Amino acid sequence: MSPAELAAKGGGSASGSVGDLGGAQTHYTGQGLPDYEKHKNDTQGSWYVRSCDMLYLSPALGGSPVSEEERAEDAREIREFYASNPDEFIWVEPGAGPPAPRVSAGRLARAAWKVVKIPAPTVETNPKVGDRGATLVGMDTWVWATGETPTSVKATATAGATSVTVSASSSGLQLSAPDGKASCQGFGVAWHQGMPEGSSPCTISFNRSSAHLGGTTPLSIQVAYSASYTATDGTSGTLPAITTTSTVDLPVAEVQTLNTNSNNPRQN
C-alpha cells in the first residue's frame, strides 16, 4: 500500500499492510513508520517491515516431533535474523526492488552444510584368497580407503555481502565387525607386494571364520567429520558433525595349517 492510499484512509493514524522481507503482508499503523510525514502524499513507493515467522524455520511442519536441539536452532535462527536486520521499517523508492534480507554468517553456514553430500566410505582389503577374495582367521587384514572416501570437505556459500567457507575433516576410518578386533589410525595405506607385516596403520583381525554368519562377515566402516566455518564478516563457529557409513560383506576363511613353502596369501 502506498502512503497516499494510507492517507486517503485516514491520514497519519491510518493503518494498512506492507510487504515483509519474506513477501508476506504485515499489519501496521502509519504513524509508526519512519519519515511518514515526508512520504505520506506519495503515490508510489512503499515501506517494507521486518518479519520472521517461526513456521518457516520449524522442522515440525506437518506435525513431526521437534527435538530440544531443533528448538534451540530455531531460536538461534530468529535471533540472528533480527540482529542481522536491525531496521524494523524500510522505505523503498518508486521503481526500486524490495530490500534483500541480510543473512547471518551462522545461518548461511548451517544452510550450506546441510546440503553438502559426502560420499559413503569405500575400502579395499588384503589378503584376498581364492575365488571369493577371502581374508584369513588370525591374520591382520589390511584396510584402506579408496579414492571415493574424502579425508576433508570444503564448501562455500554467499548471500548478499556475506560469504562463508565451511571446512570439515576426519581423523580416519572406524572399523567394527563380528568376531573382529580392529586397530585403525587414519585412512590406512594400500598394500603392495614387498610391504612388511605390521606396517599397516589400519587393520582388523578375525578370530572365527564367517561360516556361521552365512559365508561373509559384515565389516562396518564409519567416517566422522567435524566441521567449522569462517566468514567474510569476521565471524566463525562450529557445525554439527556428520558420520558416513557403509558395510562390506567380507568372506573370512580358516586355514588349519600354513605351509611355509606355499605362496604368501597376500600375493594374490
Side-chain angles (χ1 to χ4, degrees):
M1 181 177 291
S2 70
E5 289 172 322
L6 274 180
K9 288 179 176 291
S13 62
S15 63
S17 297
V18 294
D20 67 16
L21 296 187
Q25 294 295 308
T26 303
H27 194 74
Y28 70 91
T29 299
Q31 288 178 328
L33 300 174
D35 295 329
Y36 175 78
E37 291 297 325
K38 177 181 177 181
H39 297 292
K40 68 180 181 180
N41 295 318
D42 291 356
T43 58
Q44 297 182 15
S46 56
W47 280 283
Y48 277 76
V49 63
R50 175 192 62 185
S51 176
C52 185
D53 194 328
M54 187 76 168
L55 284 176
Y56 295 103
L57 294 175
S58 177
L61 292 176
S64 301
V66 183
S67 67
E68 289 301 317
E69 181 177 331
E70 289 169 328
R71 292 183 188 278
E73 182 174 343
D74 286 343
R76 181 172 61 248
E77 295 260 348
I78 292 174
R79 288 195 302 270
E80 289 184 357
F81 175 84
Y82 284 112
S84 299
N85 298 273
D87 298 324
E88 184 176 4
F89 297 101
I90 303 170
W91 169 254
V92 176
E93 295 292 342
R102 293 191 291 273
V103 179
S104 70
R107 183 179 185 188
L108 183 59
R110 288 191 294 275
W113 185 227
K114 285 179 180 179
V115 299
V116 169
K117 302 298 182 184
I118 303 177
T122 56
V123 299
E124 275 292 347
T125 63
N126 192 279
K128 291 181 179 293
V129 177
D131 295 339
R132 302 181 64 207
T135 189
L136 298 177
V137 170
M139 188 173 192
D140 282 346
T141 300
W142 289 34
V143 183
W144 64 92
T146 66
E148 297 299 318
T149 307
T151 60
S152 61
V153 177
K154 184 168 288 189
T156 59
T158 300
T162 303
S163 294
V164 298
T165 298
V166 175
S167 301
S169 61
S170 174
S171 60
L173 304 176
Q174 301 173 26
L175 309 177
S176 62
D179 311 315
K181 181 178 181 181
S183 175
C184 189
Q185 290 80 40
F187 287 83
V189 294
W191 179 88
H192 60 79
Q193 190 169 350
M195 297 186 75
E197 289 296 320
S199 60
S200 172
C202 189
T203 64
I204 186 168
S205 178
F206 297 95
N207 59 28
R208 190 176 182 184
S209 78
S210 55
H212 72 108
L213 297 173
T216 60
T217 297
L219 172 62
S220 175
I221 306 107
Q222 294 187 333
V223 181
Y225 296 87
S226 57
S228 61
Y229 71 88
T230 57
T232 52
D233 64 2
T235 60
S236 61
T238 59
L239 296 167
I242 289 180
T243 298
T244 59
T245 63
S246 64
T247 301
V248 173
D249 292 326
L250 188 64
V252 181
E254 189 168 8
V255 177
Q256 300 298 330
T257 303
L258 181 63
N259 189 327
T260 57
N261 293 324
S262 65
N263 291 333
N264 185 330
R266 294 201 189 279
Q267 298 174 354
N268 50 76

